[in-house]
Each structure stands twice: as structure tokens, then as C-alpha cells.
Amino acid sequence: VVFPPMSTNHKRVCARAARVEFRDAFLGGREDFRAAQLNVRVLAKRQLGDFARLPDSAQILVLEFLRPPQVAQLAWDGVVSCPNLATVHKDWVRPRVVIRLRPLLQAEREDEQYESLTMEQENESCVVHDGHVHRDGRTLYMVHSRFGVDRVFSPTCPPPAIMATVADPVIDTFLEGGAATVLFFGQTGTGKTHTSWEVQQHAAAALFP
């Protein structure tokens, strides 16, 4: 997604400074994708009467009149096509990857920071909205990248639902005499310690009632 040229003469802008300086533009790119997802959900739920009888390809064409074509297609894939679901393993034969998005902290909200991720529950995937400044120093653009995993959890997902996916299978394996590990990986401040403490408390309650 390419935004209108910026009214600035800066030739070199670091990524961190760009997130602050061009906050509104990057938020617009993220919200454009989320709005496209909403448009897709309306079509997918067949809420438009006779129009909903059109084939998927025709509905995507309509979306492309509302949103940039690449954004429309990406949103459609995340809600309707859901290609990642075919790769999700339902058992625990191999390691599983789970993403949990923590909510913004109070200090982050006061500092007007913002999320750059969108969780796609239907497709069990995460879309990263990466805003950039072109090397010409004037053009803003955004890259939407999808990463498919085994499960994704939004900031509003209740802890019991997360424990049922992350902790319970590990506890069951242990009780059956097997070995299992939960590895927490992520950038500093993303909530690893908080989630690991929840898992430990849940496991302790299950093993030592």
C-alpha cells in the first residue's frame, strides 16, 4: 500500500522515528486492512441477499473497488480461503507454534503507541503491518505480511482458553509418562514472563490439587 508523498525533506528516517512521525499514515494502512477484513466477513456471512450468490471471484472484484487489490485479496484469504488451516496439525506429534498478542500497556497508550499486528482467528495466522519510508525520503508504504501458525490468541482471549491449548496437552503428556516442554520466545516486554507464570500456576493446580 503506497500513501501520498510526504511533505518533508528528510532523506533518512530510522524505523523507530518513522513509527512516531508518520503514526497517522501507518495507522491508516493498518485500519484499511482491518476494514477490508470486515467487508469480507459481511460477504462471507451472506448478508447481502442476491449479491451473495455471486462467485467468490466476482465478490473479490467488488472488494477491489473498495480497497487496494492486494489488500482485498489478502483479507479474503485470511477470512474465506484460510490456506493456513490445511497446514495446522491437530495432534502434538511435532512442535506447535502459538502466538499471543498482549494488550497495550497504559504507558504505551498514553504515549500514543499502537499495534502493528492483526490476529486472524479464522485462518490461525498473524498479519504484520510494517510501515516504511522509501529511500527517496518522501514516499510512505506499508507491507502486510502473513505468518501462519498453529493457534493465535488476541489480547481479549481469556486465560483458560489459552491454557487449554498450551498447558493442558503438556500436562497430559507428563502424566502419561512422557516428556514435554513449553518454550516462550519473543522480544523483551512482549509478555513472556506473564504468560509463563499463568502456565506454571495452571500446571501446579493440575498436578498438585
Side-chain angles (χ1 to χ4, degrees):
V1 180
V2 179
F3 304 104
M6 303 179 299
S7 58
T8 176
N9 293 321
H10 293 305
K11 294 300 181 181
R12 296 177 64 86
V13 182
C14 74
R16 184 181 298 273
R19 282 180 56 85
V20 176
E21 184 173 354
F22 310 117
R23 175 182 184 275
D24 292 342
F26 290 156
L27 275 176
R30 185 199 71 182
E31 291 308 304
D32 192 50
F33 173 81
R34 293 181 176 179
Q37 284 189 314
L38 181 60
N39 295 148
V40 171
R41 289 189 176 98
V42 171
L43 294 175
K45 290 181 178 179
R46 303 296 188 257
Q47 295 177 353
L48 297 182
D50 292 339
F51 177 77
R53 298 194 181 97
L54 292 173
D56 289 354
S57 58
Q59 295 186 38
I60 293 175
L61 285 176
V62 173
L63 287 171
E64 291 178 354
F65 280 104
L66 302 173
R67 308 292 171 189
Q70 292 177 329
V71 174
Q73 185 64 59
L74 188 69
W76 183 271
D77 290 342
V79 176
V80 178
S81 301
C82 299
N84 183 57
L85 292 185
T87 66
V88 173
H89 287 232
K90 304 304 181 183
D91 54 35
W92 288 81
V93 174
R94 65 164 178 80
R96 301 183 70 186
V97 179
V98 177
I99 297 177
R100 183 187 193 185
L101 176 62
R102 73 158 173 80
L104 292 175
L105 303 177
Q106 181 64 30
E108 294 170 333
R109 291 194 295 269
E110 293 174 354
D111 198 33
E112 296 188 334
Q113 297 186 33
Y114 53 95
E115 296 174 355
S116 297
L117 304 175
T118 296
M119 295 299 174
E120 296 182 321
Q121 305 290 339
E122 298 94 338
N123 193 38
E124 299 295 0
S125 55
C126 170
V127 177
V128 179
H129 311 291
D130 194 5
H132 294 270
V133 180
H134 192 271
R135 65 181 63 184
D136 64 10
R138 294 183 56 80
T139 306
L140 295 177
Y141 66 98
M142 175 165 282
V143 177
H144 303 287
S145 303
R146 172 177 288 124
F147 297 91
V149 294
D150 292 293
R151 285 295 301 274
V152 295
F153 297 106
S154 70
T156 58
C157 184
I162 299 173
M163 296 304 105
T165 298
V166 176
D168 288 348
V170 173
I171 295 171
D172 292 342
T173 299
F174 173 78
L175 293 176
E176 293 171 358
T181 299
V182 180
L183 175 64
F184 297 88
F185 179 81
Q187 183 179 344
T188 299
T190 53
K192 300 184 300 297
T193 301
H194 178 82
T195 302
S196 66
W197 179 242
E198 290 181 335
V199 171
Q200 292 177 59
Q201 288 182 310
H202 182 82
L207 296 173
F208 309 101

